[in-house]
Amino acid sequence: FEEGETNLQRHPQLLDLVRQNRWLEEDPGAMELICRIHNLHMKSEEDEGRPPVAPAQEKLENRFRHMCLSAVNTLAASKKAGCTGGLLEVINAICTPKTPQAQEMRLKWQKKEYGKDALFDSLFPDLKQFKDDYDKQDSWWDIWLMLGFLLLLIAGLAAVFFYGMPMSSKTATTTTTVITTAMATGSATS
C-alpha cells in the first residue's frame, strides 16, 4: 500500500499468513532478510551504470519496493510498538483505534514508520545498539550538564561586563604616561 493509505482491509489474510508461518514473526532473520532485499534493490536503482529501464519495468520495481517496505512494516510493527501479543494485537488495535495510543499506532502504520525504523536499524546496526542503550536511560543528566555550562557561561559574561576587561586600556595608558613623564623629567635634569 502507498504511504498514508492502509492495507487493513486485508487484515484477515495478514493474520492467516503470520499464524500459519509463525517463524515470520518470531525469527528476526526473516525481517532482516527482507530489509536487505529492499536495501539492495534501492542500491541497484541508484547505480549509474545501469541501462535505462522501460516505464512498465520501472512501475513494477516501484511496486516491488513498496511491497518490501510494507512487509517490513508489518513484521516490525509489533516489536516497535511494544505489543507482546504480536501482530494480532497490533492489527486489532489499529483496525478500530479507540485510544490515543492506538490512533498513534495506526498513524505510524499508515506512514510506514515501523518499516522505516527497521530499515534504518538494518543499515546501521551499531547505531541501533547505541539507541537502545540510550532509550533505556531515564536520566536527564546530559540536559542538566548543558544547562550548567550555559549558566556558567552567562555568569562569566556578566562578570566580564560588570567588572570590565582584565587588561583594560586605562592601565596601559597610565604606565605609559608615568614612564614618559619620568623619562622627560630625567632628560631635563641631565
Side-chain angles (χ1 to χ4, degrees):
F1 65 96
E2 297 296 320
E3 188 172 319
E5 298 176 0
T6 67
N7 60 349
L8 294 176
Q9 70 275 10
R10 295 183 301 205
H11 73 276
Q13 290 126 350
L14 288 170
L15 293 175
D16 284 342
L17 178 70
V18 174
R19 266 192 226 119
Q20 292 171 1
N21 302 294
R22 294 296 305 162
W23 60 272
L24 285 171
E25 196 172 6
E26 294 169 356
D27 185 11
M31 185 172 57
E32 182 65 25
L33 176 66
I34 299 171
C35 286
R36 288 188 181 196
I37 290 170
H38 182 273
N39 293 335
L40 182 67
H41 196 271
M42 292 297 287
K43 283 181 187 176
S44 69
E45 181 185 285
E46 295 172 358
D47 186 15
E48 292 178 9
R50 180 179 169 201
V53 181
Q57 181 68 24
E58 183 66 33
K59 187 176 179 181
L60 278 173
E61 289 181 8
N62 193 23
R63 184 168 183 244
F64 178 72
R65 267 193 310 277
H66 285 294
M67 286 173 33
C68 282
L69 184 57
S70 293
V72 172
N73 191 49
T74 301
L75 293 176
S78 61
K79 291 177 186 160
K80 299 285 182 185
C83 295
T84 56
L87 190 60
L88 176 65
E89 183 180 344
V90 172
I91 296 293
N92 285 335
I94 64 177
C95 279
T96 54
K98 296 178 182 173
T99 64
Q101 182 184 10
Q103 290 171 350
E104 181 182 341
M105 284 173 52
R106 182 177 177 130
L107 186 63
K108 285 183 178 182
W109 174 276
Q110 287 178 298
K111 290 182 177 181
K112 298 183 183 179
E113 288 182 16
Y114 298 122
K116 291 173 186 175
D117 288 345
L119 286 171
F120 185 81
D121 291 346
S122 174
L123 283 171
F124 307 105
D126 296 337
L127 289 178
K128 178 186 182 239
Q129 178 64 33
F130 176 73
K131 179 181 165 255
D132 291 343
D133 291 344
Y134 187 76
D135 288 343
K136 289 178 185 174
Q137 296 176 352
D138 287 335
S139 65
W140 284 36
W141 71 270
D142 50 351
I143 294 174
W144 289 113
L145 183 67
M146 289 299 291
L147 286 174
F149 281 133
L150 185 64
L151 287 175
L152 186 63
L153 179 68
I154 291 171
L157 288 173
V160 166
F161 286 128
F162 184 72
Y163 292 112
M165 297 297 277
M167 301 296 286
S168 68
S169 60
K170 292 178 185 177
T171 310
T173 309
T174 307
T175 53
T176 310
T177 308
V178 171
I179 292 174
T180 310
T181 309
M183 288 177 70
T185 323
S187 62
T189 56
S190 322

